[in-house]
Amino acid sequence: MMSVGEKLKRQRESLHLTQQQVADQLGVTVTTVKNWEAGRHIPKLYPIQTKALCDLLDLTLDELAEYS
């Protein structure tokens, strides 16, 4: 089973987005995004940030939650 970090990275790369672009859209640091993708941390976001992440990466909340 793919981890949440692996899923985020795969989706980000498939959309040709940089880690910096994701960080900027969510109001977090690029280090935070790197830590998510490396599996060091699980995203802990406010609901509005979670929706923004799903919209940005073209994921549903169910798809994101499936890997959390």
Side-chain angles (χ1 to χ4, degrees), residues 1 12 16 18 22 24 27-29 37 44 46-48 51 58 61-62:
M1 180 183 226
R12 178 183 61 76
H16 308 288
T18 66
V22 172
D24 291 345
V28 300
T29 67
E37 291 185 0
K44 294 179 183 172
Y46 291 108
I48 196 161
K51 182 179 180 337
D58 195 28
L61 283 173
D62 288 338

Side-chain angles (χ1 to χ4, degrees), residues 5 11 19-20 23 29 40 51 64 67-68:
Q11 283 295 106
Q19 290 174 329
Q20 187 65 59
T29 67
R40 288 188 282 274
K51 182 179 180 337
L64 183 62
Y67 297 97
S68 296

Side-chain angles (χ1 to χ4, degrees), residues 5-57:
E6 292 168 331
K7 175 73 170 180
L8 293 175
K9 183 176 182 177
R10 187 184 76 185
Q11 283 295 106
R12 178 183 61 76
E13 290 176 341
S14 74
L15 296 169
H16 308 288
L17 295 170
T18 66
Q19 290 174 329
Q20 187 65 59
Q21 288 171 312
V22 172
D24 291 345
Q25 288 293 315
L26 300 177
V28 300
T29 67
V30 72
T31 301
T32 297
V33 175
K34 288 178 182 183
N35 284 333
W36 293 343
E37 291 185 0
R40 288 188 282 274
H41 300 287
I42 293 174
K44 294 179 183 172
L45 301 168
Y46 291 108
I48 196 161
Q49 290 172 304
T50 302
K51 182 179 180 337
L53 177 63
C54 289
D55 290 347
L56 182 64
L57 297 181

